[in-house]
Amino acid sequence: MIVGVDIGTSLTKAVVFDGAGVSIAQATTPSEVLHLPGGRVEQDLDQVIGTVATVVREVVSGLDGPVTALALTGQGDGVWLRDAEGEAVRPAISWLDGRANALLAKWQADGVTREVFRRTGSGMFPGCTAAILSYLDEHEPEVLDRAAVAGYCVDAVVQRLTGEITVDVSDASLPFLDPRTRKYDEEAIAACGLASRRGLFAEPAEPKAVFQLNAHGAKLLGLPAGLPVTAGPFDLPASAIGAGVREPGDGILTAGTTLACQVLTDSADFDPEGEPAGMFLSTPTVGEYLRAMPAMVGTASIDWICKLLGIEVAEIAGLLAASPPGANGVRALPFLSVSGERAPFVDAAARAQFSGLTLEHGRADMVRALCESIAYAARHCFDAAGLSGRLYACGGGVRSAEWTQIFADVLGRPIVIPSDPGVGARGAVLVAAEALGQPYDVELWASNSRTVEFVPENVEYYQTGYADYQASLAAAQGLWRL
């Protein structure tokens, strides 16, 4: 049995699946996310490693057979600096971090973001590796001097468990990997002023790479030394694989803390003069890529409005039902992240707004307007990513039947939702099984799902609503810089 572990930003999950892709054991535990002054967001590597140990030990304790491998996935972007032994040289800087906002704005003005995008197809935002490393090179150079590797969450955990310094090709895509060669673009690195720090970037692992649990990792997890370990892809492509995305043009909507929209393609071509946003991710399969538009909006916005209005998340369903499509004229822009937006456009100054409010409106209208605006943001992302085929969805947001219906109606297409919520861990397990020569029946795994159909009259209504959203967005972009 392969144990899949998904190391999310705020939650770590371990899952074991049966031969049909149904989870037979799972465990979760929270991670600590430190929100500090100045838009700084950090995590402690030791604490995150502890969450992995907790969930693995818990899930393994209930199994009636031996563990054959450990398959890891988790959050991407940010910077996880370590020394040669895998110890953190400073707290990890999250992808949610906003300390490099001003630097990113300068790069946009100077054409740096355009140059990197032209070479790699990946946009940059304040929480991406390039911006954070450049910020640290100016403000904390001694930290970079002490580090042996500047990597990501998954490879930080892998180094601690196996002793290997490595990185999955999906993580390495952000933002310096040329998808056509699966090698770093040295000119892109130089454009960000990081040529002198080039030695901090681990070379991407070969496809289907398998590592081994060392004595330290074995003791930590309570598993045998030498156990096979796979590292990646990170959570966005892992979720696409786990949900059943197989054909070019198919896409997946991940309605989590943030909103990730991805579309599979078999072409490494992209428009170098297009909007320098989103990500062009290499996958475990050579010749396949994911055009990813991971927006900063998502369920964190729902948590915010619940706190603002003094309601529980469980009340959202009733409030959505109490307000009709269009929220009785209330409109919203959902950009609540302190670091602005990163897809399908990049603007660190992006901010949220509500309009059309009167004394006659109530909580239901505000909640529905916010949920509709996030669905409009998803459509904006999928239009940019080139969605043309089947759409899958996962994440905490699609547990709400009412909100999922809004997504289906705004996007104007059915949405296939895997019955098991652990699609990131499922994707990691599928990749591990193939790497170990023990492939599962992927079609059988993907069949364990349900479909949410769109309502035709609502689709027609939301066509106009989406046009209004785009007009409001265009108008607001001018105000953000005042």
Side-chain angles (χ1 to χ4, degrees):
M1 285 180 279
I2 300 174
V3 177
V5 181
D6 187 350
I7 313 158
T9 304
S10 57
L11 195 72
T12 296
K13 173 182 287 187
V15 190
V16 178
F17 300 92
D18 66 14
V22 178
S23 65
I24 57 174
Q26 58 180 294
T28 60
T29 194
S31 288
E32 295 175 2
V33 182
L34 304 176
H35 292 267
L36 306 169
R40 296 176 297 152
V41 184
E42 299 183 348
Q43 291 193 269
D44 180 84
L45 175 57
D46 288 333
Q47 195 273 333
V48 172
I49 295 288
T51 67
V52 175
T54 296
V55 296
V56 169
R57 284 180 172 274
E58 181 178 342
V59 79
V60 168
S61 68
L63 299 179
D64 57 5
V67 174
T68 57
L70 184 67
L72 302 177
T73 185
Q75 59 179 296
D77 281 308
V79 173
W80 297 64
L81 290 164
R82 298 101 63 190
D83 62 20
E85 285 69 49
E87 298 296 325
V89 299
R90 75 169 323 284
I93 300 178
S94 171
W95 58 274
L96 290 165
D97 194 88
R99 74 189 70 194
N101 282 10
L103 172 63
L104 197 283
K106 183 176 185 300
W107 279 359
Q108 288 176 312
D110 294 346
V112 174
T113 54
R114 169 66 63 185
E115 175 66 9
V116 172
F117 179 81
R118 186 176 68 81
R119 292 181 171 277
T120 70
S122 285
M124 294 190 291
F125 67 104
C128 77
T129 302
I132 295 171
L133 278 180
S134 184
Y135 179 94
L136 292 177
D137 201 26
E138 179 180 355
H139 297 279
E140 299 181 32
E142 70 286 353
V143 170
L144 299 187
D145 292 340
R146 295 199 306 271
V149 57
Y152 306 83
C153 175
V154 176
D155 54 84
V157 174
V158 170
Q159 186 181 2
R160 191 69 69 86
L161 297 181
T162 71
E164 298 282 351
I165 294 179
T166 185
V167 64
D168 185 74
V169 68
S170 61
D171 267 321
S173 297
L174 309 172
F176 293 134
L177 205 74
D178 183 337
R180 292 155 293 204
T181 64
R182 296 168 76 100
K183 302 292 185 183
Y184 292 119
D185 186 296
E186 304 298 337
E187 294 300 319
I189 294 173
C192 296
L194 293 171
S196 64
R197 302 295 186 180
R198 173 64 175 83
L200 293 175
F201 301 131
E203 295 303 316
E206 291 297 319
K208 302 181 182 180
V210 179
F211 309 99
Q212 291 186 335
L213 204 62
N214 63 16
H216 172 78
K219 182 178 180 180
L220 184 70
L221 303 183
L223 294 172
L227 185 77
V229 177
T230 57
F234 80 96
D235 56 5
L236 293 190
S239 293
I241 294 167
V245 174
R246 299 281 182 269
E247 299 297 326
D250 287 354
I252 180 170
L253 165 69
T254 303
T257 303
T258 57
L259 196 70
C261 303
Q262 304 175 80
V263 176
L264 185 68
T265 176
D266 57 5
S267 172
D269 294 333
F270 59 90
D271 180 5
E273 302 307 318
E275 178 72 26
M279 305 166 178
F280 205 99
L281 303 175
S282 295
T283 73
T285 302
V286 176
E288 288 189 352
Y289 315 88
L290 284 161
R291 193 73 180 106
M293 293 289 166
M296 297 297 286
V297 302
T299 58
S301 303
I302 305 304
D303 294 337
W304 171 84
I305 202 167
C306 285
K307 182 178 179 181
L308 180 72
L309 299 179
I311 59 177
E312 299 295 328
V313 173
E315 298 178 62
I316 292 293
L319 291 169
L320 289 176
S323 181
N328 289 313
V330 179
R331 300 173 182 171
L333 294 178
F335 311 113
L336 287 158
S337 171
V338 68
S339 54
E341 187 52 277
R342 63 175 176 173
F345 62 91
V346 177
D347 195 330
R351 294 296 179 261
Q353 70 177 43
F354 285 85
S355 61
L357 285 166
T358 71
L359 292 173
E360 295 182 351
H361 291 110
R363 296 183 301 177
D365 299 318
M366 291 189 66
V367 168
R368 186 169 190 101
L370 181 60
C371 288
E372 288 180 343
S373 73
I374 295 172
Y376 290 139
R379 178 168 173 179
H380 197 182
C381 287
F382 278 122
D383 285 351
L387 176 66
S388 61
R390 180 173 293 188
L391 179 62
Y392 298 81
C394 64
V398 297
R399 295 174 192 165
S400 166
E402 293 77 14
W403 197 13
T404 303
Q405 189 64 60
I406 291 173
F407 278 119
D409 294 344
V410 168
L411 293 167
R413 61 181 65 237
I415 299 178
V416 181
I417 302 176
S419 298
D420 191 290
V423 292
R426 181 190 298 192
V429 168
L430 287 170
V431 171
E434 184 174 356
L436 295 168
Q438 306 168 4
Y440 292 101
D441 184 338
V442 293
E443 297 302 326
L444 177 61
W445 280 46
S447 67
N448 185 27
S449 62
R450 60 186 175 88
T451 300
V452 176
E453 301 289 346
F454 60 83
V455 178
E457 53 267 34
N458 289 350
V459 171
E460 183 176 354
Y461 178 87
Y462 283 128
Q463 284 284 94
T464 301
Y466 181 54
D468 290 342
Y469 169 85
Q470 291 184 306
S472 296
L473 175 58
Q477 287 174 318
L479 298 175
W480 294 336
R481 289 164 181 80
L482 297 179

